[in-house]
Amino acid sequence: MRSISPGDLTVGKLSDLSRGQDLHDDVSELLDVYENYVIEAITWYLVDKRAKSALSRGLRAVAILLVTAGALLPLVQAGAGGVEGGWGYVLLGAGAACVGVDHLFGLSAAWTRDVVTALRLQRLLQDFHLAWIRLNTATGSG
């Protein structure tokens, strides 16, 4: 099992909660603690996706530019009366390498997973809030 690094998500233990006489207060405290954990997790996923998204989009943009230049260079050289088209292949290969690096390191998939997970957690938190309101309304607890 790997050790926890600074910035990794963690969850507290139930023993960290105070145990009072009122069950409603204890459950409310439990709600607050775990609601904060979920909000922290959502924030972590959204922050984690930033660098991955920027790298992925940057690699894809560079790939588009290189492939476009690689396709146009032989046409421009042929129109100018030149015969050398070797650099077009180099640019096409470099563009393909950018897409390959993105795929190899899973940058596109990773930041997409971060966003999907953050959205799922937000949805679960909203569902829990609605259930909590329904429960409090049904029991008459404030």
Side-chain angles (χ1 to χ4, degrees), residues 51-117:
K52 294 173 188 172
S53 171
L55 281 171
S56 174
R57 290 177 186 204
L59 282 170
R60 296 290 173 141
V62 169
I64 289 169
L65 292 174
L66 288 171
V67 168
T68 302
L72 292 177
L73 185 63
L75 297 175
V76 169
Q77 287 177 339
V83 225
E84 290 205 29
W87 282 107
Y89 293 116
V90 172
L91 293 173
L92 288 171
C98 287
V99 173
V101 167
D102 180 41
H103 185 71
L104 177 69
F105 291 107
L107 296 172
S108 294
W111 77 263
T112 303
R113 270 193 315 272
D114 284 343
V115 170
V116 168
T117 303

Side-chain angles (χ1 to χ4, degrees), residues 14-25:
L14 284 176
S15 60
D16 294 342
L17 299 172
S18 64
R19 295 203 176 12
Q21 298 297 326
D22 185 19
L23 178 62
H24 184 269
D25 289 344

Side-chain angles (χ1 to χ4, degrees), residues 9 34-35 37-46 113-129:
L9 290 174
Y34 281 97
E35 182 181 36
Y37 288 142
V38 172
I39 291 169
E40 180 183 331
I42 291 168
T43 303
W44 185 90
Y45 280 109
L46 293 177
R113 270 193 315 272
D114 284 343
V115 170
V116 168
T117 303
L119 291 173
R120 272 194 198 139
L121 286 172
Q122 286 175 338
R123 176 63 188 202
L124 288 170
L125 187 58
Q126 289 170 348
D127 290 347
F128 182 76
H129 283 153

